[in-house]
Amino acid sequence: MQLLALALYHRDGRPTPRVVKFRPGALNILTGESETGKSEILDIVDYCLGRTTHTLPDEPIDQTVGWYALLVAFRDSRMVLARPRPAGASTTQAMFRTGDDTLGLPRADELIATSSVAALRAEVSARLGIEDFRFQPPPGAARAAFNVSIAQATLLCLQNQNEIADKKALFHRQTENGMAQAIKDTLPYFLGAAGPQQALNRHHFNEAQRAQRAAQRKLDDAHRRREAVDADGVALLRLAQSEGLLSEVPQAPAPDEIRRLLEQALTATVAVVGPADLTDRRHQLSEDRRALREQLQAADQALALVDRWQKQGEAFTGELHLQLGRLRSINLLGPERDHDHTVCPMCTRPLEHPDAPAAEILALTEQLADELDQAQTVQPIRDEHRRSLQTERAAVIERLRVNGVQLREMNASDERMRSLQDQQVRIARIQGRIDQALTTGSGSLSGDMATLQNNLAVARENVTALQALIDEDDVAAETERRLTDVAADMTVWAKRLNLGQAAAADEVTVSLSQLNVVVRRPQGRLPLNRIGSAKNWIGYHMVAHLALHTYLRRHRRPVPAFLMLDQPTQAFFPAKIKDATTVRDADWDTVTAYFELLRDVVDLNEGALQIIVCDHANLTDHPWFQDSIVENWRPLDGRRQALIPTDWLD
């Protein structure tokens, strides 16, 4: 694919576009003063080839242009690639048209965004011969897979004025996020060292590795489940042993032994004999205890009554003794006992209330003495009755104690009954867990383990086979071999331009890992960023891209057959320059040598390579240079010449 024309369409819809024409298979030079739009040519071409984020300047291009169109030629067809002016930071709108050798640029009224950037890229990629395949990054890579297309091929065809003088980067947009890796991933394909089959093999290898890892994880999970099942099985065996379902369990039984013992525990039975029903006996004991408590209460009441009688008797006899002692004092009287009891013995006067006669008092004394004797005869009987009641009470207490022991024994029997019932429940529960373990446990895993082991073995064999295919391809080694072919031309041309360190170099090559030029010397490798001066940086960029495109054309690789260079002679002029033709003390011999190399490489490729250079230089003394000029943007007849016509700015 080479460029035939670039067209800019005014935003107001005027019918005549601004057209810059290119000659295919030749050196095309756009020369002119600064700020005439030379550098914007490369950005417009990049945009028309499908770049979604544009770098077009705001003035005056973005303020005047409504559409951009690129007419490109393939071997047997042509294609128009048109993009509307981007309304924001990015756009995906596009229009493309295909046809034969008679296809030309569209009219302004034919420009309608009927397609997308993705479709445009797909069509251009197909016509270039880029095979339809998706690059798969290695496993674990952070970057995503992508379709190889014109988007990556374009990176090999453009060098703007900042990139061509960059000592750290070799390719277009290499310093942008993710672009360097994209170039590393696709350069082997564009060189012919790798293709869809290698990418497919790599993809299958990555998938096989993922399948192997998945099979390994499943097998490891199965092993862990097996170990967990075995651990649970041993725990169940210990429980079964504690409940009497098993007599002895080894300390570390094997998986088969665990299953055998679990099956034995599942079918084992434990004879549990519970006590007879003691409900009636408990009722009888309760009734007896109630009757005994009543008897004990009656005995206590009888003893209390006896105690009250005893106290009352002791009080009565004590009073009798006291009164009897007083009455017996009458016996101390002599003849006075016969004195008249109606007369006071002191004054001999009659008493208003006569005293009792002594004889009556003596009779009362004798009566009291008899009653006291009778009371003392009752006391032994009372004591005997008391002892009888105490004996009876002690017997009742003993019977209550025995009754309590019997009731407590019955309660203990009930507890044992409940314990035996709980044991039955525990045994049933353990056997239920054993049955579940035997159903879903290690026994069911044995077949799965064999299947998983077989799957892992198959996955490993598949990985090994695909690894062998990848090793046979050895894309890295093949890429280095092809870069060695590129280095042959680079070395010759670097020496021709007398670039720094080139004279003593064994080889000047492109490092795929660094994406930069490396000079191999007897002293060691020297990367471009360690070689001084902008002249050398630009020169090495030129020889690298010229040699790379010569190789691509020689092997008919699916990369656009043009190379655009912006300001390759900038190192020989002041930073700010209006017109290079006015600089007389520049190294014009070196500038001429650079352009002569460009001319000779075009001739070497015999029309297969198109080189487009946008530069300040104008070698007026060299007819071949003048013949290569397609646009000269210097004042003509007092009128300014530039990419944007003067009347567009009015």
Side-chain angles (χ1 to χ4, degrees):
M1 182 183 82
Q2 296 185 0
L3 310 185
L4 297 181
L6 175 67
L8 280 63
Y9 295 82
H10 201 283
R11 293 175 62 178
D12 62 8
R14 62 185 65 182
T16 304
R18 171 68 167 99
V19 179
V20 177
K21 295 183 178 180
F22 304 105
R23 292 191 291 267
L27 175 62
N28 295 258
I29 299 175
L30 285 83
T31 183
E33 297 180 348
S34 61
E35 299 181 356
T36 54
K38 297 186 301 298
S39 296
E40 280 67 40
I41 294 292
L42 185 145
D43 292 330
I44 295 171
V45 170
D46 197 8
Y47 180 66
C48 288
L49 288 175
R51 184 173 179 177
T52 54
T53 57
H54 71 94
T55 56
L56 303 174
D58 182 68
E59 290 285 356
I61 293 179
D62 194 55
Q63 297 300 316
T64 58
V65 178
W67 276 80
Y68 303 90
L70 192 64
L71 179 63
V72 300
F74 298 93
R75 290 176 184 168
D76 54 358
S77 63
R78 288 185 178 185
M79 189 172 181
V80 172
L81 312 175
R83 302 284 305 279
R85 165 188 172 271
S90 64
T91 179
T92 59
Q93 292 182 324
M95 184 199 89
F96 64 88
R97 178 182 295 173
T98 60
D100 55 19
D101 293 343
T102 62
L103 180 67
L105 290 168
R107 300 190 309 272
D109 57 359
E110 296 176 327
L111 296 172
I112 301 175
T114 58
S115 187
S116 66
V117 168
L120 182 148
R121 284 179 173 176
E123 183 65 24
V124 174
S125 300
R127 291 181 176 271
L128 270 175
I130 297 177
E131 295 163 288
D132 185 14
F133 75 98
R134 188 171 181 80
F135 178 82
Q136 296 289 341
R143 59 191 186 277
F146 60 88
N147 294 321
V148 179
S149 70
I150 183 65
Q152 295 82 37
T154 304
L155 303 177
L156 308 179
C157 301
L158 304 176
Q159 286 279 281
N160 65 36
Q161 60 179 328
N162 295 324
E163 293 166 342
I164 199 170
D166 192 341
K167 65 179 179 179
K168 296 181 179 180
L170 180 61
F171 294 99
H172 181 52
R173 300 177 61 191
Q174 180 179 328
T175 57
E176 295 181 18
N177 185 31
M179 286 299 178
Q181 189 59 55
I183 296 171
K184 291 180 181 180
D185 291 337
T186 55
L187 185 57
Y189 167 71
F190 291 122
L191 288 172
Q197 187 58 48
Q198 285 80 7
L200 185 61
N201 290 342
R202 172 64 65 178
H203 174 67
H204 289 163
F205 177 71
N206 295 342
E207 293 295 325
Q209 284 187 317
R210 278 192 286 269
Q212 179 182 343
R213 290 192 295 269
Q216 185 68 58
R217 285 195 301 270
K218 290 180 180 179
L219 183 59
D220 293 342
D221 291 343
H223 278 299
R224 284 191 291 271
R225 291 198 306 272
R226 176 72 174 268
E227 292 172 358
V229 167
D230 291 345
D232 292 342
V234 172
L236 288 175
L237 291 179
R238 302 298 178 200
L239 289 174
Q241 184 182 19
S242 66
E243 298 297 341
L245 293 173
L246 295 172
S247 59
E248 184 178 357
V249 176
Q251 186 66 28
D256 294 340
E257 183 70 8
I258 292 175
R259 184 173 182 82
R260 184 186 66 80
L261 290 174
L262 288 176
E263 291 175 348
Q264 178 181 340
L266 184 62
T267 58
T269 58
V270 177
V272 180
V273 180
D277 188 5
L278 301 179
T279 304
D280 295 339
R281 176 62 176 163
R282 182 183 292 104
H283 179 71
Q284 182 62 41
L285 287 174
S286 298
E287 290 294 325
D288 292 346
R289 190 171 186 80
R290 184 182 59 78
L292 289 172
R293 287 186 178 277
E294 291 178 355
Q295 293 178 17
L296 180 62
Q297 183 179 4
D300 289 339
Q301 291 175 352
L303 283 172
L305 182 60
V306 169
D307 289 340
R308 285 197 301 273
W309 287 349
Q310 178 68 24
K311 291 179 180 179
Q312 291 176 359
E314 289 176 351
F316 177 70
T317 57
E319 183 66 24
L320 286 179
H321 280 291
L322 177 63
Q323 297 300 330
L324 184 60
R326 290 177 178 176
L327 292 175
R328 282 180 176 173
S329 64
I330 196 75
N331 292 328
L332 299 176
L333 298 177
E336 294 87 357
R337 288 186 296 183
D338 297 331
H339 186 274
D340 186 2
H341 62 281
T342 60
V343 178
C344 175
M346 298 297 295
C347 65
T348 65
R349 294 178 67 178
L351 298 172
E352 184 178 356
H353 299 287
D355 294 330
E360 186 177 343
I361 293 173
L362 290 174
L364 179 59
T365 299
E366 291 177 358
Q367 182 181 354
L368 288 175
D370 291 340
E371 289 180 0
L372 184 59
D373 290 339
Q374 291 178 2
Q376 289 177 347
T377 58
V378 173
Q379 184 63 35
I381 297 173
R382 186 182 295 122
D383 291 341
E384 181 64 24
H385 181 60
R386 179 185 179 84
R387 286 192 294 272
S388 175
L389 288 175
Q390 288 177 340
T391 301
E392 182 180 350
R393 182 178 182 279
V396 172
I397 290 175
E398 177 62 20
R399 290 175 63 189
L400 278 172
R401 185 188 68 78
V402 173
N403 180 273
V405 170
Q406 290 176 336
L407 282 174
R408 285 194 296 274
E409 182 63 27
M410 290 195 68
N411 290 335
S413 297
D414 288 346
E415 187 65 29
R416 287 193 297 273
M417 171 66 79
R418 284 191 293 271
S419 177
L420 291 172
Q421 291 174 346
D422 291 343
Q423 182 184 11
Q424 289 280 37
V425 172
R426 290 196 302 272
I427 289 173
R429 187 174 298 165
I430 291 172
Q431 288 183 328
R433 291 175 59 187
I434 290 174
D435 182 62
Q436 182 181 10
L438 290 174
T439 302
T440 62
S442 59
S444 63
L445 285 176
S446 58
D448 294 341
M449 292 285 287
T451 301
L452 293 174
Q453 288 172 347
N454 182 67
N455 291 343
L456 179 58
V458 171
R460 285 173 175 169
E461 291 177 0
N462 195 20
V463 168
T464 302
L466 290 170
Q467 181 69 64
L469 286 177
I470 293 175
D471 291 342
E472 289 177 1
D473 293 337
D474 199 356
V475 173
E478 183 62 21
T479 302
E480 288 298 325
R481 188 188 70 79
R482 292 173 184 260
L483 286 175
T484 300
D485 293 344
V486 175
D489 288 334
M490 287 180 61
T491 305
V492 173
W493 295 337
K495 293 178 183 291
R496 171 178 169 175
L497 294 180
N498 196 25
L499 299 178
Q501 303 296 328
D506 295 330
E507 183 182 60
V508 179
T509 186
V510 174
S511 170
L512 181 62
S513 60
Q514 299 180 25
L515 291 183
N516 208 344
V517 174
V518 173
V519 177
R520 290 194 176 98
R521 308 171 302 163
Q523 300 92 326
R525 293 162 56 94
L526 188 67
L528 182 60
N529 59 1
R530 293 184 58 195
I531 301 175
S533 88
K535 167 193 169 183
N536 291 320
W537 303 336
I538 295 174
Y540 277 116
H541 272 251
M542 282 182 54
V543 299
H545 285 280
L546 291 174
L548 178 61
H549 276 271
T550 299
Y551 177 88
L552 296 174
R553 301 283 61 81
R554 188 180 301 145
H555 294 83
R556 298 180 179 273
R557 298 305 302 158
V559 176
F562 69 88
L563 175 63
M564 290 194 71
L565 305 176
D566 184 25
Q567 310 293 342
T569 66
Q570 58 185 287
F572 304 99
F573 306 109
K576 292 183 184 262
I577 182 175
K578 181 66 174 177
D579 188 356
T581 58
T582 63
V583 180
R584 298 303 176 189
D585 57 350
D587 189 355
W588 286 102
D589 291 338
T590 304
V591 171
T592 302
Y594 277 25
F595 277 101
E596 287 178 343
L597 178 61
L598 296 174
R599 178 201 62 191
D600 293 344
V601 171
V602 168
D603 294 340
L604 177 65
N605 283 275
E606 299 178 345
L609 177 63
Q610 179 187 43
I611 297 179
I612 302 172
V613 181
C614 301
D615 202 271
H616 293 291
N618 183 14
L619 304 180
T620 57
D621 296 334
H622 298 274
W624 62 267
F625 187 96
Q626 296 301 310
D627 291 341
S628 300
I629 295 176
V630 293
E631 292 281 340
N632 189 347
W633 294 337
R634 289 179 173 82
L636 180 62
D637 297 331
R639 299 182 60 185
R640 182 177 184 272
Q641 304 295 315
L643 177 63
I644 302 299
T646 304
D647 60 327
W648 282 25
L649 304 176
D650 296 336

